[in-house]
Amino acid sequence: AFQWANETLYDATPVDNYFPIAGVGLARKTGKEPYSFSKAYKIKPYPREWEIRKDCMTVHTPPLLCAGVAIDQVKTLRVEENTLVIEQKLTNVGEKRLEGTEYCHNFLAPGGGPIAKVCKLYLPYPPQLQVRRGEVLASADGCRVQSFDSETGTAAFWIKGYEGLSEHWMELKNTVNGAGVRIEDRFSLDSFYHWCNGGEFCPETFYRFALAPGESTAWSRRYTFQGA
């Protein structure tokens, strides 16, 4: 998923006109209220070009100019034994400088079982937590969820401590049966957020991009799965 760094594009769009959402398409502005991430806007999806090969798939999103914004996006998913590699490349082919972030929704439940009782997130640094909901216990090598918010049944929190790292890794492990997934981010993190409920854990690392017209950027993630 992508997010712009601010709401300038939305704010400058007249009502009943379209504004671009990176990775999604052109969204129709229906009123004068502020932009809402959770609102169901009417969307004109970007066109996609698919290339599927053995153990590999590439999705090309060609540029579609809107409000001076046009992005050429290439996303490749590749399987290497028990590792899933996700590679992204963005090229700004529009008229405006573009700034924003990208992150993955990783809904993970290695080995099954209730997240709060069996799963721990291991990190290469002592995490500094900013908890929004639920109860989370930090240790020198990671953290684990202790309980969930009574109203939503979820826990949510930000993590700090990764600052200064050029790349990042984390490992979500089922401490009962040994199943897990190691996630390697081949980039410097902009921010790090977590959401989970009783059955799924969703760690989200954010990649920041800033592209002048004609510039490109590329980054990747690796998911290595370990059986019980």
Side-chain angles (χ1 to χ4, degrees):
F2 290 86
Q3 292 180 333
W4 297 122
N6 54 57
E7 310 307 337
T8 301
L9 289 170
Y10 175 86
D11 293 341
T13 301
V15 174
D16 292 330
N17 284 259
Y18 285 86
F19 61 97
I21 300 179
V24 177
L26 307 183
R28 182 170 172 266
K29 185 175 180 178
T30 57
K32 296 183 179 180
E33 66 276 3
Y35 174 76
S36 172
F37 178 79
S38 59
K39 181 177 178 177
Y41 294 96
K42 181 180 179 180
I43 297 290
K44 291 183 179 179
Y46 288 132
R48 312 284 188 193
E49 299 171 353
W50 302 75
E51 182 181 355
I52 300 175
R53 304 181 300 276
K54 182 181 179 180
D55 300 332
C56 182
M57 178 179 71
T58 298
V59 183
H60 176 220
T61 304
L64 186 61
L65 185 65
C66 176
V69 173
I71 301 173
D72 189 272
Q73 179 185 0
V74 179
K75 183 175 184 178
T76 299
L77 295 89
R78 185 174 64 256
V79 176
E80 299 176 354
E81 296 183 348
N82 62 324
T83 298
L84 172 65
V85 181
I86 303 177
E87 299 171 331
Q88 297 249 34
K89 181 180 180 181
L90 295 183
T91 303
N92 183 355
V93 295
E95 304 162 358
K96 297 180 178 179
R97 178 178 175 84
L98 302 178
E99 297 186 19
T101 54
E102 181 272 349
Y103 62 97
C104 278
H105 288 293
N106 306 303
F107 295 100
L108 304 168
I115 289 293
K117 293 183 179 180
V118 302
C119 281
K120 179 176 178 178
L121 184 70
Y122 291 89
L123 298 163
Y125 49 83
Q128 303 164 27
L129 304 181
Q130 181 181 347
V131 179
R132 297 183 61 199
R133 297 188 301 276
E135 182 182 359
V136 187
L137 180 64
S139 60
D141 61 350
C143 60
R144 65 192 309 159
V145 175
Q146 297 293 98
S147 63
F148 299 102
D149 174 65
S150 59
E151 292 187 7
T152 64
T154 66
F157 53 100
W158 294 95
I159 280 188
K160 294 286 188 179
Y162 55 80
E163 294 80 5
L165 297 178
S166 60
E167 295 186 350
H168 184 267
W169 67 263
M170 56 181 151
E171 184 174 340
L172 182 63
K173 189 172 183 179
N174 187 312
T175 57
V176 175
N177 59 32
V181 55
R182 179 184 174 93
I183 304 174
E184 299 173 80
D185 302 300
R186 300 298 174 87
F187 55 86
S188 177
L189 269 58
D190 177 73
S191 53
F192 193 2
Y193 185 69
H194 297 260
W195 175 95
C196 65
N197 59 21
E200 297 172 317
F201 201 99
C202 183
E204 300 171 353
T205 53
F206 288 70
Y207 172 79
R208 178 167 294 277
F209 59 88
L211 300 173
E215 291 184 338
S216 297
T217 187
W219 66 101
S220 67
R221 295 180 174 89
R222 298 175 64 89
Y223 299 77
T224 299
F225 298 90
Q226 303 159 351

